[in-house]
């Protein structure tokens, strides 16, 4: 669960994650379509975005990435 003031999107968090300290960021979201709450962060240039269906799909994708 996440929440933010009206007008903000999830890219705000990138202000606190310097690119030099966090050169690779994976983001998993279920609302990655245009207009969805995850879209802006999912498509951001600094982010490797992953669309997921649910928690089980998220876990499967994380496992696949970590074990590759």
């Amino acid at each position: 669960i996440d929440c933010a003031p009206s007008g903000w999107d999830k890219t705000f968090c990138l202000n606190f994650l310097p690119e030099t300290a966090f050169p690779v960021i994976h983001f998993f979201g279920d609302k990655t379509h245009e207009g969805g709450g995850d879209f802006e962060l999912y498509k951001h240039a600094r982010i490797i975005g992953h669309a997921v269906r649910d928690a089980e799909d998220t876990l499967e994708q994380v496992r696949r990435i970590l074990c590759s």
Side-chain angles (χ1 to χ4, degrees):
I1 297 175
D2 52 37
C3 61
S6 181
W8 287 19
D9 63 49
K10 294 180 181 180
T11 60
F12 181 74
C13 69
L14 297 176
N15 294 320
F16 306 98
L17 301 170
E19 193 166 359
T20 54
F22 299 93
V24 177
I25 300 173
H26 289 262
F27 173 75
F28 298 81
D30 63 339
K31 306 288 189 228
T32 57
H33 58 278
E34 191 163 358
D38 297 329
F39 180 72
E40 296 299 326
L41 191 55
Y42 173 77
K43 72 172 186 99
H44 194 278
R46 285 187 56 197
I47 301 299
I48 300 170
H50 305 271
V52 296
R53 292 182 306 276
D54 52 33
E56 292 170 358
D57 186 34
T58 304
L59 184 56
E60 172 63 31
Q61 289 193 42
V62 168
R63 283 183 176 144
R64 193 171 34 231
I65 290 165
L66 292 178
C67 295
S68 63

